[in-house]
PDB file of all heavy atoms in Angstrom:
ATOM      1  N   VAL A 436      82.647  77.579 169.025  1.00 96.00           N
ATOM      2  CA  VAL A 436      81.187  77.440 168.994  1.00 96.00           C
ATOM      3  C   VAL A 436      80.699  77.530 170.432  1.00 96.00           C
ATOM      4  O   VAL A 436      81.119  76.746 171.284  1.00 96.00           O
ATOM      5  CB  VAL A 436      80.748  76.096 168.373  1.00 96.00           C
ATOM      6  CG1 VAL A 436      79.220  75.986 168.380  1.00 96.00           C
ATOM      7  CG2 VAL A 436      81.291  75.952 166.966  1.00 96.00           C
ATOM      8  N   ASN A 437      79.862  78.526 170.687  1.00 96.00           N
ATOM      9  CA  ASN A 437      79.378  78.783 172.053  1.00 96.00           C
ATOM     10  C   ASN A 437      80.518  78.923 173.058  1.00 96.00           C
ATOM     11  O   ASN A 437      80.467  78.391 174.174  1.00 96.00           O
ATOM     12  CB  ASN A 437      78.393  77.693 172.492  1.00 96.00           C
ATOM     13  CG  ASN A 437      77.050  77.820 171.786  1.00 96.00           C
ATOM     14  OD1 ASN A 437      76.655  78.906 171.369  1.00 96.00           O
ATOM     15  ND2 ASN A 437      76.346  76.710 171.643  1.00 96.00           N
ATOM     16  N   GLY A 438      81.572  79.596 172.619  1.00 95.00           N
ATOM     17  CA  GLY A 438      82.688  79.896 173.505  1.00 95.00           C
ATOM     18  C   GLY A 438      83.722  78.805 173.653  1.00 95.00           C
ATOM     19  O   GLY A 438      84.760  79.012 174.288  1.00 95.00           O
ATOM     20  N   LYS A 439      83.492  77.633 173.038  1.00 95.00           N
ATOM     21  CA  LYS A 439      84.442  76.520 173.160  1.00 95.00           C
ATOM     22  C   LYS A 439      85.222  76.351 171.868  1.00 95.00           C
ATOM     23  O   LYS A 439      84.660  76.388 170.775  1.00 95.00           O
ATOM     24  CB  LYS A 439      83.703  75.219 173.485  1.00 95.00           C
ATOM     25  CG  LYS A 439      84.630  74.022 173.650  1.00 95.00           C
ATOM     26  CD  LYS A 439      83.853  72.750 173.959  1.00 95.00           C
ATOM     27  CE  LYS A 439      84.798  71.547 174.033  1.00 95.00           C
ATOM     28  NZ  LYS A 439      84.079  70.275 174.293  1.00 95.00           N
ATOM     29  N   GLU A 440      86.528  76.162 171.999  1.00 95.00           N
ATOM     30  CA  GLU A 440      87.380  75.947 170.829  1.00 95.00           C
ATOM     31  C   GLU A 440      87.227  74.515 170.321  1.00 95.00           C
ATOM     32  O   GLU A 440      87.108  73.573 171.110  1.00 95.00           O
ATOM     33  CB  GLU A 440      88.853  76.201 171.178  1.00 95.00           C
ATOM     34  CG  GLU A 440      89.178  77.669 171.421  1.00 95.00           C
ATOM     35  CD  GLU A 440      90.674  77.907 171.605  1.00 95.00           C
ATOM     36  OE1 GLU A 440      91.444  76.948 171.361  1.00 95.00           O
ATOM     37  OE2 GLU A 440      91.058  79.015 171.973  1.00 95.00           O
ATOM     38  N   TYR A 441      87.231  74.375 169.005  1.00 93.00           N
ATOM     39  CA  TYR A 441      87.159  73.050 168.391  1.00 93.00           C
ATOM     40  C   TYR A 441      88.269  72.906 167.365  1.00 93.00           C
ATOM     41  O   TYR A 441      88.487  73.795 166.539  1.00 93.00           O
ATOM     42  CB  TYR A 441      85.803  72.843 167.707  1.00 93.00           C
ATOM     43  CG  TYR A 441      84.664  72.627 168.683  1.00 93.00           C
ATOM     44  CD1 TYR A 441      83.900  73.703 169.121  1.00 93.00           C
ATOM     45  CD2 TYR A 441      84.369  71.359 169.166  1.00 93.00           C
ATOM     46  CE1 TYR A 441      82.856  73.519 170.020  1.00 93.00           C
ATOM     47  CE2 TYR A 441      83.329  71.160 170.067  1.00 93.00           C
ATOM     48  CZ  TYR A 441      82.582  72.240 170.483  1.00 93.00           C
ATOM     49  OH  TYR A 441      81.552  72.052 171.381  1.00 93.00           O
ATOM     50  N   LYS A 442      88.971  71.754 167.434  1.00 88.00           N
ATOM     51  CA  LYS A 442      90.029  71.463 166.476  1.00 88.00           C
ATOM     52  C   LYS A 442      89.464  70.644 165.322  1.00 88.00           C
ATOM     53  O   LYS A 442      88.330  70.178 165.365  1.00 88.00           O
ATOM     54  CB  LYS A 442      91.165  70.714 167.167  1.00 88.00           C
ATOM     55  CG  LYS A 442      91.830  71.521 168.278  1.00 88.00           C
ATOM     56  CD  LYS A 442      92.926  70.714 168.954  1.00 88.00           C
ATOM     57  CE  LYS A 442      93.587  71.502 170.082  1.00 88.00           C
ATOM     58  NZ  LYS A 442      94.626  70.720 170.776  1.00 88.00           N
ATOM     59  N   ALA A 443      90.283  70.432 164.299  1.00 86.00           N
ATOM     60  CA  ALA A 443      89.834  69.735 163.096  1.00 86.00           C
ATOM     61  C   ALA A 443      89.291  68.341 163.408  1.00 86.00           C
ATOM     62  O   ALA A 443      88.292  67.921 162.841  1.00 86.00           O
ATOM     63  CB  ALA A 443      90.975  69.645 162.084  1.00 86.00           C
TER      64      ALA A 443
END
Side-chain angles (χ1 to χ4, degrees):
V436 179
N437 287 334
K439 181 181 176 182
E440 290 187 9
Y441 287 93
K442 298 178 181 178

